[in-house]
Amino acid sequence: MGRRLFVPAAFADLFASMPPKSAPASRCREWLEVTETALRSEISGPHGVQAWRLIPLLVTVRRTSF
């Protein structure tokens, strides 16, 4: 079984747009960048702590994969 990531409901729409494994690397990289930017904009909002915890994960994936 693959690893799972708990995503708070406030960010479900962001992660629902995640490209499939078969997507080109450029599309995946673009999705990671857009999602990271969207999460950074949420830091000052009511779900800021949750966004703050997810950002390092996306940064790590982007750095190790691309």
Side-chain angles (χ1 to χ4, degrees):
M1 181 187 281
R3 293 184 181 188
R4 295 179 183 221
L5 171 66
F6 172 76
V7 177
F11 306 120
D13 290 340
L14 287 174
F15 286 86
S17 65
M18 185 183 329
K21 285 184 178 181
S22 59
S26 60
R27 183 172 171 211
C28 295
R29 184 174 41 250
E30 179 184 351
W31 179 84
L32 284 167
E33 291 170 359
V34 168
T35 303
E36 180 186 342
T37 302
L39 286 173
R40 287 187 188 281
S41 70
E42 294 289 333
I43 288 177
S44 61
H47 304 290
V49 173
Q50 294 169 334
W52 182 67
R53 290 179 178 163
L54 287 170
I55 291 169
L57 173 71
L58 293 178
V59 170
T60 301
V61 169
R62 191 182 48 171
R63 287 181 180 167
T64 58
S65 300
F66 303 104

